[in-house]
């Protein structure tokens, strides 16, 4: 049995819970768009050809922002192909995914879908095969009210009001040799800076994200961030980070501790950005957009090759286990505890492609295991993020050495009225493969709390996976061991589990 003692104190505020932490990602890749969000012949299809069942699950997931249209796809994308009458749009090759892109869905359809889903868009511009001018054109098409060729083109295409997109990514993973139009840090830094400067001439209040590293294991990691920010510091707001985790070689203990790597990644990017700040003698701080993160079993990746250029092929449709969901929950804990510097994040991706939502073409849609910790954290994390003091017995891992078995973060929101009770949400994981954890949490510094709800997501078989036939056998369940007395919460966490406790 593991033991953990946690103290939650309202004095230890990290920063606000940011809605943009709960973003996701829709790429023209595999079946994310076609038969994912868009399927005009589907029985649930709504106006515009969007799947109604996916829209409903997207709302339930609690997604705040969606990054679009890629990913690697964006680096050879011509946005103009995706606007205007659908029947005249050209079919193109998607170089990134060796697929056929019919362009039936483009920026106007995506904006219409965002409105239906109640989501804020985050657009990426192509800095691989294209550059500053095309980025400016897309910005003008989207955000300028009218009276210019591009803004009138948007209006003629049915979007009278500007899309008013605030969040923009300046390319995607430009550090990666696999990226179409891959660049050195210096080349990219210059291009990102010039593109950002020009975009601000058109619309000064944009939030702009420069590409950081595709992984903290890239050889250029940190040197890349340093060089890019040295060029672009004054004209960008955030630098991106991407990370995907899986149990390499079956090493489950290290996999469950993936948040240790995410903590390291975030802390290192913050340190690098702040060192550029010091070198440039600036006061402004650059934050992080963690705009691709998830569990991804890259071992199973099978992309089309040769003369095979299929339309919407099955690509990286990973089926997630309960253990994977625990890792996703623990990565959310890491993102929240860095809310002072992580300004936005996107679970990659939303539908079918390494996704919390799965669909059958023409058929059912269902929730994967990773859906549950994301949806509950998004729904109940509110107010300020508090850093709890966690003392826990440790588990041994090959990659990270001894790590605390229990990890946690808390949020504290004021009541709706002055006299209404404060709302606390505590998110916890037990990363031990075999042992339960007995946890005591002191809330003595927040008097008058009552236990509202304690739920745990776990299963005797952590390898259990949801399917279209059975998505509901394993759901978050009330944790019957939870009790609160004299400001101290006691509960037991099963091995390989994610939990949420709410107090009010
Ligand atoms: O999310 C899948 C791919 O992973 C994205 O297209 C790319 O940016 C990353 O390498």
């Amino acid at each position: 049995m593991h033991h953990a003692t946690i103290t939650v104190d309202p004095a230890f505020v990290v920063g606000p819970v940011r809605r943009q932490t709960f973003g996701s990602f829709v790429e023209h890749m595999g079946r994310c768009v076609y038969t994912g969000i868009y399927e005009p012949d589907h029985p649930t299809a709504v106006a515009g050809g969007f799947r109604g069942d996916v829209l409903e699950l997207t709302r339930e997931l609690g997604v705040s922002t969606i990054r679009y249209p890629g990913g690697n796809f964006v680096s050879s994308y011509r946005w103009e192909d995706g606007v205007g009458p659908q029947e005249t749009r050209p079919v193109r090759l998607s170089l990134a995914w060796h697929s056929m892109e019919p362009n039936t869905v483009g920026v106007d359809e995506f904006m219409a879908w965002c409105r239906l889903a109640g989501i804020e868009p985050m657009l990426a511009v192509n800095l691989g095969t294209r550059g500053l001018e095309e980025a400016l054109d897309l910005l003008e098409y989207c955000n300028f009210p009218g009276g210019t060729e591009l803004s009138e083109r948007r209006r003629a295409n049915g979007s009278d009001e500007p899309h008013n997109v605030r969040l923009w990514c300046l390319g995607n993973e430009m550090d990666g040799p696999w990226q179409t139009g891959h660049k050195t840090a210096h080349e990219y830094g210059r291009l990102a800076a010039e593109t950002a400067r020009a975009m601000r001439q058109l619309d000064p209040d944009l939030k702009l994200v420069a590409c950081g590293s595709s992984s903290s294991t890239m050889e250029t990691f940190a040197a890349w961030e340093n060089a890019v920010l040295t060029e672009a510091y004054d004209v960008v707001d955030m630098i991106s980070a991407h990370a995907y985790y899986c149990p390499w070689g079956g090493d489950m203990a290290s996999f469950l501790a993936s948040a240790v790597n995410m903590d390291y990644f975030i802390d290192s990017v913050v340190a690098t950005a702040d060192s550029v700040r010091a070198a440039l003698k600036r006061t402004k701080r650059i934050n992080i957009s963690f705009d691709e993160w998830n569990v991804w079993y890259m071992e199973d990746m099978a992309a089309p090759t040769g003369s095979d250029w299929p339309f919407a092929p099955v690509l990286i449709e990973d089926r997630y286990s309960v253990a994977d969901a625990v890792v996703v929950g623990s990565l959310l804990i890491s993102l929240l505890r860095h809310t002072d510097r992580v300004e936005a994040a996107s679970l990659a991706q939303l539908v079918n492609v390494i996704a919390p939502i799965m669909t059958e073409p023409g058929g059912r849609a269902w929730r994967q295991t990773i859906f549950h910790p994301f949806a509950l954290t998004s729904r109940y994390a509110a107010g300020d993020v508090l850093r709890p003091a966690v003392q826990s017995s440790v588990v041994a891992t090959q990659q990270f050495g001894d790590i605390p078995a229990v990890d946690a973060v808390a949020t504290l929101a004021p009541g709706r009225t002055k006299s209404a009770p404060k709302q606390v949400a505590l998110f916890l994981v037990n990363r031990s493969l075999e042992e339960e954890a007995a946890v005591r949490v002191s809330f003595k510094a927040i008097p008058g709390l009552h236990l509202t709800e304690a739920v745990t997501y776990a299963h005797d078989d952590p390898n259990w996976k949801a399917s279209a036939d059975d998505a509901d056998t394993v759901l978050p369940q009330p944790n019957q061991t939870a009790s609160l007395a004299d400001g101290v919460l006691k509960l037991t966490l099963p091995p390989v589990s994610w939990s949420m406790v709410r107090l009010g």
Side-chain angles (χ1 to χ4, degrees), residues 25 27 29 71-73 97 172-173 178 242 244 292 296 316 348-349 354:
F25 174 33
E27 175 164 11
M29 173 180 181
N72 296 343
F73 171 81
W97 304 117
N172 175 69
E173 293 189 350
W178 60 85
H242 291 179
Y244 293 102
E292 287 187 34
W296 177 3
I316 58 169
Q349 301 187 5
I354 44 171

Side-chain angles (χ1 to χ4, degrees), residues 202-227:
L202 203 163
D203 193 339
D205 301 326
L206 304 174
K207 285 272 181 191
L208 300 179
V209 183
C211 291
S213 292
S214 313
S215 153
S216 60
T217 58
M218 296 295 288
E219 242 178 78
T220 49
F221 177 52
W224 172 276
E225 280 77 359
N226 190 301

Side-chain angles (χ1 to χ4, degrees), residues 246-279:
C246 74
W248 290 108
D251 179 2
M252 283 300 289
S254 302
F255 174 55
L256 286 168
S258 296
V260 175
N261 172 270
M262 187 179 251
D263 289 343
Y264 159 81
F265 196 165
I266 295 170
D267 293 342
S268 306
V269 175
V270 165
T272 308
D274 287 352
S275 89
V276 177
R277 173 178 181 254

Side-chain angles (χ1 to χ4, degrees), residues 127 170 174 183-197 210-211 224-233 235-236 239:
L127 294 188
L170 302 166
M174 299 308 298
K183 296 184 172 38
T184 65
H186 182 68
E187 286 165 350
Y188 171 71
R190 287 277 305 129
L191 177 60
E194 289 316 316
T195 307
R197 225 183 304 277
C211 291
W224 172 276
E225 280 77 359
N226 190 301
V228 168
L229 287 179
T230 300
E231 291 291 347
Y233 200 92
V235 283
V236 302
I239 182 129

Side-chain angles (χ1 to χ4, degrees), residues 299-468:
E299 293 133 332
D300 297 341
M301 178 146 175
T305 51
S307 57
D308 183 24
W309 292 85
F311 162 67
V314 171
L315 271 186
I316 58 169
E317 298 201 1
D318 290 19
R319 297 299 162 95
Y320 290 117
S321 66
V322 171
D324 297 332
V326 172
V327 170
V328 163
S330 74
L331 295 173
L332 278 165
I333 290 174
S334 169
L335 290 171
L336 281 173
R337 78 164 138 256
H338 289 100
T339 196
D340 52 338
R341 300 303 292 270
V342 175
E343 194 172 326
S346 302
L347 176 71
Q349 301 187 5
L350 181 72
V351 195
N352 292 328
V353 176
I354 44 171
I357 300 170
M358 296 301 293
T359 69
E360 293 169 330
R364 299 168 286 182
W366 71 96
R367 299 166 193 80
Q368 292 234 59
T369 57
I370 62 170
F371 188 100
H372 304 295
F374 189 99
L376 287 170
T377 309
S378 173
R379 191 172 320 149
Y380 292 113
D384 285 331
V385 178
L386 303 182
R387 173 179 278 277
V390 181
Q391 284 173 309
S392 167
S393 47
V394 297
V395 290
T397 70
Q398 264 179 41
Q399 263 189 55
F400 310 110
D402 287 350
I403 58 125
V406 173
D407 195 12
V409 75
T411 67
L412 173 66
R416 274 197 211 100
T417 59
K418 255 195 175 164
S419 55
K422 291 179 172 152
Q423 303 293 324
V424 175
L426 178 69
F427 304 95
L428 311 108
V429 280
N430 176 6
R431 305 184 279 194
S432 167
L433 279 165
E434 279 117 24
E435 291 175 57
E436 292 185 327
V439 181
R440 288 171 64 93
V441 191
S442 169
F443 288 103
K444 285 182 190 289
I446 314 172
L449 290 176
H450 297 275
L451 186 57
T452 310
E453 181 187 25
V455 291
T456 290
Y457 193 60
H459 193 253
D460 291 344
D461 175 12
N463 296 315
W464 184 88
K465 293 175 180 169
S467 64

